[in-house]
Amino acid sequence: MIVTIDGPAGTGKSTAARRLAEQLGFAMLDTGAMYRIVALRCLEVGIPVDDAPALGQLAGSIEMLCFDGAATADGEDVGNRIRTADVTEAASFVAKVPAVREALVERQRAAAAGRDVVTEGRDQGTVVFPDAERKFFLTASVETRARRRAAELKGKGETVDFDALLAEIAARDDRDRNREIAPLVPAGDAIEIDTSEMTLDEVVEELVQRVGSRE
Ligand code: DC
């Protein structure tokens, strides 16, 4: 069985997907981590983020495993290195490149083949797994998402410029929603959940119930 969870950053999507997968006994595929790995290698190798052919080739050549909260690239644990601000920024540019998306979509389908998976990203219900048994689209206001991100950064001891964070999240949303290929939109048959006023526990509970009810 495939359960897809799509939506913008800061909706609690990743954590909710992980906890849902744990409760169901499914694997959890983090497809954002795959775009982040391509971005990390792109920065390391020094490929310009607009060199589409080179990026497509790069995306097809990295061995990546992004299950259950772990992220490895060619056997190296890159879990922390793909979460830096530079990689986050570069990922939203490499994700616009059709050849990168093609390479990663193929890998995502192969990774999920024959197993029970909760898969999380932007295009899982629309493009990658259009026949998934259950589809969710999580949303939250941009202010809520910026507040959550600020709290997360403060928790790590980082200083936060809230207005800059808000602008950065809005710009990333804009790139994700308005790109030509696989833009961030809910699938027609996705269940939309606005998490702005919900705790993480409530989000997980709702997902579990909806998967179970299959109405
Ligand atoms: O979910 P995230 O922040 O880790 O995603 C990193 C970037 O990759 C973000 O800019 C959106 C993009 N992405 C995408 O285009 N398609 C996906 N299936 C997952 C992520």
Side-chain angles (χ1 to χ4, degrees):
M1 178 178 180
I2 306 257
V3 177
T4 62
I5 305 185
D6 291 304
T11 51
K13 198 167 42 107
S14 304
T15 316
R18 190 138 82 227
R19 286 187 37 192
L20 175 67
E22 272 166 22
Q23 291 215 19
L24 298 173
F26 286 18
M28 197 283 275
L29 180 63
D30 178 356
T31 63
M34 300 171 83
Y35 288 92
R36 288 170 179 273
I37 286 174
V38 176
L40 173 70
R41 289 290 191 249
C42 159
L43 294 175
E44 281 173 352
V45 179
I47 298 173
V49 287
D50 57 358
D51 185 345
L55 286 173
Q57 204 178 20
L58 178 72
S61 70
I62 310 165
E63 204 58 56
M64 40 180 109
L65 272 178
C66 299
F67 276 110
D68 305 330
T72 65
D74 298 320
E76 177 198 355
D77 175 0
V78 291
N80 290 328
R81 294 173 60 212
I82 59 170
R83 306 280 161 205
T84 64
D86 284 355
V87 172
T88 300
E89 174 81 0
S92 83
F93 284 96
V94 306
K96 295 200 303 186
V97 177
V100 170
R101 302 204 70 88
E102 276 162 31
L104 295 191
V105 165
E106 199 179 302
R107 278 147 175 261
Q108 289 158 17
R109 290 186 181 137
R115 55 201 301 193
D116 291 321
V117 173
V118 175
T119 177
E120 182 255 293
R122 305 292 190 285
D123 59 349
Q124 300 300 288
T126 48
V127 174
V128 188
F129 301 106
D131 299 326
E133 283 86 346
R134 251 296 170 259
K135 298 179 185 178
F136 295 101
F137 192 86
L138 302 193
T139 61
S141 69
V142 68
E143 289 78 13
T144 301
R145 293 187 286 126
R147 262 201 311 279
R148 287 175 181 163
R149 181 79 184 128
E152 196 182 317
L153 291 172
K154 278 183 193 154
K156 287 186 196 163
E158 294 180 31
T159 48
V160 176
D161 175 343
F162 186 77
D163 289 339
L165 196 59
L166 196 71
E168 188 191 304
I169 290 175
R172 259 212 310 148
D173 278 3
D174 195 53
R175 279 198 293 279
D176 283 349
R177 290 205 169 100
N178 295 313
R179 66 177 172 232
E180 277 173 33
I181 178 167
L184 174 65
V185 285
D189 52 350
I191 297 168
E192 290 195 45
I193 301 173
D194 183 344
T195 70
S196 300
E197 306 294 328
M198 295 170 84
T199 64
L200 193 59
D201 284 346
E202 287 169 341
V203 175
V204 175
E205 195 177 322
E206 170 117 24
L207 295 174
V208 170
Q209 275 181 9
R210 298 276 201 161
V211 171
S213 70
R214 300 174 138 278
E215 79 277 6

